Amino acid sequence: FTKPVKPLDLMLAVDELTAPAAEEPLKVLVVDDEPEAAAYHALLLEEGGMSVHQVHHPADALNAMERFSPDLVLVDVYMPVCSGEELASIIRQQPEHLGLPIIYLSSETDSQKQISAMSAGVEAFLTKPVQPEELVSAVRLRAERLRLLRSLMTRDSMTGLYNHSTTTELINKNLAQAHRDNSQHAMAMIDIDHFKQVNDTHGHLAGDQVIITLARLLKSRLRLSDIIGRYGGEEFVVLLKGINAEKAAPLIDSLREDFALVDFHAGEVRFRCTFSAGISSFPAQPSTESLRLSADQALYRAKHHGRNQVVI
Ligand code: GH3
Ligand code: MG
Ligand code: MG
Ligand code: MG
């Protein structure tokens, strides 16, 4: 759980931190009434490094989209019951799939029919049989563009952490799940101490470096499943999943100790920084709002009692 990190490591590889999450393969939903065709195209995309889910009935597509959350949908045009065009218009009417790229893949070669099919708002029309490289590159280009767009909308560009609204949304979702399976979570509100003074003394760029370094520390030391958000300027919120406040406090405290040892540089001047944190836990606090309020009150006590400490 607590990988030891040498303070110096935190200063490196900031690019890695701010790059959009590239770990997960691009996800493609293939909708084709012919199982062989679906399997063949899925195979090509998988060979291109993507993760693919296939459905053979258009009626199953929406359900699959919900569960699989694809970065792109590849749709056959001629299918019984519901054509690819009809499916595309249904997808386009759903706000949660706004911007999701759809590509048609069909044996239709009549350009007039292709143009009319594209009016549902799809990105491209590929004709069967498709060149494997053409399929893979057409899909990758558009799926990556969506990934980038999503990342711009949900993440803070300076640190790569979730932005305020996404953090809240994700915590809400996790609490709803925690209510169902009786799990416990802890929340930590983390705020850099005397940060205004850091800016005033060492300049805004040095201040930015402090924020980026703390973000990197949180990312490298917490679990992948934990939710880490930049809540405001120099304020971070973490949802530590599956542990209570008594377990979360020493964990955050060890981060506090390590952060306090990082040497920052502003020209020739070296300086150090600390943070304070307040911890609350679910289900004692049953909502995002009460978790936040309780963690905020604990943070206030930490500040009031001299900063550079973690308080429950
Ligand atoms: P406290 O110990 O009580 O938290 O004091 P503080 O000075 O950290 O708190 P305060 O809220 O007064 O100041 C926060 C400062 O953070 C003010 C703001 O200019 C600065 N800040 C906010 N966002 C950024 C940023 O992205 N970069 C830099 N360099 N500074 C920022
Ligand atoms: Mg068909
Ligand atoms: Mg502060
Ligand atoms: Mg603050």
Side-chain angles (χ1 to χ4, degrees), residues 191-192 234-235:
D191 186 290
I192 301 173
E234 31 82 77
E235 196 167 298

Side-chain angles (χ1 to χ4, degrees), residues 200-273:
D200 292 349
T201 313
H202 305 289
H204 227 258
L205 284 179
D208 286 356
Q209 202 53 42
V210 174
I211 291 175
I212 290 169
T213 302
L214 178 52
R216 176 160 184 78
L217 176 68
L218 297 174
K219 254 197 173 176
S220 67
R221 291 278 295 278
L222 297 169
R223 291 175 177 164
L224 260 182
S225 59
D226 290 341
I227 295 164
I228 312 170
R230 185 176 177 200
Y231 219 54
E234 31 82 77
E235 196 167 298
F236 301 80
V237 164
V238 180
L239 190 74
L240 299 123
K241 287 161 76 173
I243 60 174
N244 59 21
E246 286 66 33
K247 288 249 167 64
L251 182 72
I252 299 295
D253 201 53
S254 83
L255 299 182
R256 181 196 59 75
E257 281 179 1
D258 289 346
F259 183 67
L261 292 174
V262 177
D263 285 317
F264 294 101
H265 302 264
E268 297 294 292
V269 183
R270 280 164 49 147
F271 66 98
R272 289 182 170 180
C273 262

Side-chain angles (χ1 to χ4, degrees), residues 27-31 52-73 87 91 94 97 100:
K27 294 192 286 184
V28 182
L29 177 68
V30 173
V31 187
V52 184
H53 186 81
Q54 309 170 39
V55 297
H56 306 133
H57 300 287
D60 296 334
L62 289 183
N63 202 355
M65 285 170 64
E66 189 118 325
R67 279 178 291 121
F68 183 59
S69 47
D71 300 300
L72 184 141
V73 187
L87 179 60
I91 294 172
Q94 310 208 317
H97 300 313
L100 178 68

Side-chain angles (χ1 to χ4, degrees), residues 183-198:
S183 44
Q184 51 184 0
H185 299 316
M187 177 188 275
M189 291 274 280
I190 297 171
D191 186 290
I192 301 173
D193 296 326
H194 297 306
F195 193 60
K196 195 176 161 338
Q197 210 172 300
V198 172

Side-chain angles (χ1 to χ4, degrees), residues 54-248:
Q54 309 170 39
V55 297
H56 306 133
H57 300 287
D60 296 334
L62 289 183
N63 202 355
M65 285 170 64
E66 189 118 325
R67 279 178 291 121
F68 183 59
S69 47
D71 300 300
L72 184 141
V73 187
L74 187 67
V75 185
D76 180 28
V77 174
Y78 295 113
M79 296 184 288
V81 188
C82 167
S83 72
E85 257 179 277
E86 285 167 320
L87 179 60
S89 349
I90 293 170
I91 294 172
R92 281 284 165 265
Q93 280 163 26
Q94 310 208 317
E96 67 269 36
H97 300 313
L98 198 76
L100 178 68
I102 303 172
I103 295 182
Y104 285 140
L105 184 54
S106 170
S107 46
E108 180 60 68
T109 50
D110 183 303
S111 62
Q112 234 15 71
K113 286 197 176 138
Q114 290 191 359
I115 290 167
S116 115
M118 301 252 312
S119 67
V122 302
E123 318 294 319
F125 201 115
L126 301 177
T127 47
K128 295 176 186 172
V130 66
Q131 290 292 323
E133 312 79 59
E134 189 192 1
L135 175 69
V136 170
S137 70
V139 167
R140 180 179 292 131
L141 181 81
R142 290 169 180 84
E144 273 174 353
R145 200 192 289 150
L146 178 73
R147 277 277 173 99
L148 187 66
L149 198 73
R150 278 191 182 149
S151 150
L152 286 173
M153 284 167 56
T154 58
R155 290 180 186 271
D156 160 53
S157 61
M158 187 163 130
T159 61
L161 299 180
Y162 292 123
N163 60 27
H164 185 106
S165 64
T166 305
T167 306
T168 307
E169 193 182 313
L170 289 174
I171 294 175
N172 283 341
K173 273 190 193 159
N174 273 274
L175 293 193
Q177 183 62 41
H179 270 292
R180 289 194 288 274
D181 53 36
N182 291 319
S183 44
Q184 51 184 0
H185 299 316
M187 177 188 275
M189 291 274 280
I190 297 171
D191 186 290
I192 301 173
D193 296 326
H194 297 306
F195 193 60
K196 195 176 161 338
Q197 210 172 300
V198 172
N199 277 328
D200 292 349
T201 313
H202 305 289
H204 227 258
L205 284 179
D208 286 356
Q209 202 53 42
V210 174
I211 291 175
I212 290 169
T213 302
L214 178 52
R216 176 160 184 78
L217 176 68
L218 297 174
K219 254 197 173 176
S220 67
R221 291 278 295 278
L222 297 169
R223 291 175 177 164
L224 260 182
S225 59
D226 290 341
I227 295 164
I228 312 170
R230 185 176 177 200
Y231 219 54
E234 31 82 77
E235 196 167 298
F236 301 80
V237 164
V238 180
L239 190 74
L240 299 123
K241 287 161 76 173
I243 60 174
N244 59 21
E246 286 66 33
K247 288 249 167 64

